[in-house]
């Protein structure tokens, strides 16, 4: 019989590739991990379906609950309006992170989970300090705790990629939004 975890945490998952190692690390830390896949930024819808299916496979394999947020791209376009030409890592990305982490915090409150974090920070292309600032601000506003874990440390990016290859998970080649696909995919 498995020992009960003392603490629950809600992990926002940007994709299966990035969330594999964070899930295992959080479990090793004693957390009961709930995974929230909320990514209205993903374009097009066919890409979204590939990514959510990979997340389902991963969560089944790692025996953790997956909560699927609604795919509502209009929410992303509303916050990205006027920022379409921003470079990657610019203001549009910050707004996108804020949207996804705010929805994660709101769900955590609804589920009575006091801590949340995100797998986005495992990417070597994402700014851990910036994401931590956004997460902590949202956590403070909602009476929660943002668990700032740099999942890149201790070869986290290598470990998460290894796991995704072992499971033969879908591997995307761009961040997610239509603005990043135009700049990243050549």
């Amino acid at each position: 019989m498995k020992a009960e975890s003392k603490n629950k945490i809600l992990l926002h998952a940007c994709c299966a590739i990035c969330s594999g190692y964070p899930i295992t690390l959080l479990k090793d830390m004693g957390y009961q991990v709930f995974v929230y896949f909320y990514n209205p930024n993903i374009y097009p819808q066919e890409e979204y379906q590939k990514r959510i299916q990979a997340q389902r496979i991963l969560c089944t394999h790692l025996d953790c609950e997956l909560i699927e947020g609604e795919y509502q791209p209009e929410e992303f376009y509303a916050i990205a309006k006027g920022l379409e030409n921003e470079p990657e890592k610019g203001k549009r990305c910050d707004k996108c992170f804020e949207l996804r982490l705010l929805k994660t915090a709101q769900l955590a409150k609804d589920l009575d989970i006091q801590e949340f974090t995100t797998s986005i920070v495992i990417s070597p292309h994402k700014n851990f300090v910036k994401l931590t600032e956004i997460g902590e601000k949202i956590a403070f506003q909602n009476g929660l705790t943002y668990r700032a874990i740099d999942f890149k440390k201790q070869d986290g990016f290598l470990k998460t990629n290894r796991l995704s290859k072992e499971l033969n998970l879908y591997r995307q080649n761009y961040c997610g939004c239509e603005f990043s696909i135009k700049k990243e995919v050549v």
Side-chain angles (χ1 to χ4, degrees):
M1 179 182 250
K2 240 179 176 178
E4 293 257 340
S5 298
K6 293 178 186 168
N7 299 316
K8 295 178 182 178
I9 193 164
L10 185 60
L11 171 69
H12 168 264
C14 57
C15 66
I17 295 170
C18 291
S19 60
Y21 176 67
I23 292 168
T24 59
L25 178 64
L26 291 166
K27 285 180 134 191
D28 288 348
M29 293 171 67
Y31 283 103
Q32 180 181 1
V33 182
F34 295 83
V35 176
Y36 182 43
F37 189 88
Y38 172 74
N39 298 291
N41 57 306
I42 297 174
Y43 173 88
Q45 185 169 4
E46 294 79 20
E47 179 71 16
Y48 179 87
Q49 292 304 322
K50 290 176 186 176
R51 293 186 192 198
I52 189 64
Q53 182 57 30
Q55 192 69 55
R56 290 175 187 136
I57 293 166
L58 178 71
C59 288
T60 298
H61 177 77
L62 295 177
D63 192 29
C64 62
E65 184 174 338
L66 172 61
I67 302 163
E68 297 182 24
E70 289 186 52
Y71 179 57
Q72 299 173 318
E74 64 277 2
E75 290 188 1
F76 169 72
Y77 288 113
I79 60 98
K81 189 167 180 63
L83 303 172
E84 297 87 352
N85 294 316
E86 278 285 309
E88 287 303 296
K89 303 181 186 179
K91 292 177 185 173
R92 182 186 66 248
C93 294
D94 292 350
K95 289 291 187 186
C96 183
F97 299 147
E98 287 173 11
L99 171 64
R100 294 187 283 166
L101 290 178
L102 178 60
K103 292 285 188 172
T104 303
Q106 291 169 341
L107 179 62
K109 282 180 76 166
D110 290 347
L111 297 174
D112 199 28
I113 297 174
Q114 295 303 305
E115 294 181 79
F116 71 99
T117 192
T118 183
S119 66
I120 298 171
V121 298
I122 202 166
S123 170
H125 305 290
K126 304 301 182 221
N127 184 323
F128 174 76
V129 173
K130 173 60 89 173
L131 277 156
T132 297
E133 289 172 1
I134 293 168
E136 288 178 344
K137 177 183 172 189
I138 290 169
F140 178 78
Q141 292 169 342
N142 286 277
L144 300 170
T145 300
Y146 176 77
R147 178 64 67 191
I149 301 170
D150 191 347
F151 294 114
K152 285 186 283 290
K153 299 218 173 181
Q154 299 179 350
D155 291 325
F157 189 67
L158 178 67
K159 291 173 185 173
T160 207
N161 274 288
R162 191 177 300 134
L163 178 60
S164 70
K165 286 178 184 174
E166 287 171 16
L167 296 175
N168 197 29
L169 297 176
Y170 170 72
R171 301 180 63 77
Q172 66 270 10
N173 62 0
Y174 64 100
C175 182
C177 79
E178 83 173 283
F179 310 113
S180 70
I181 195 172
K182 291 175 185 174
K183 291 176 175 65
E184 292 180 27
V185 178
V186 180

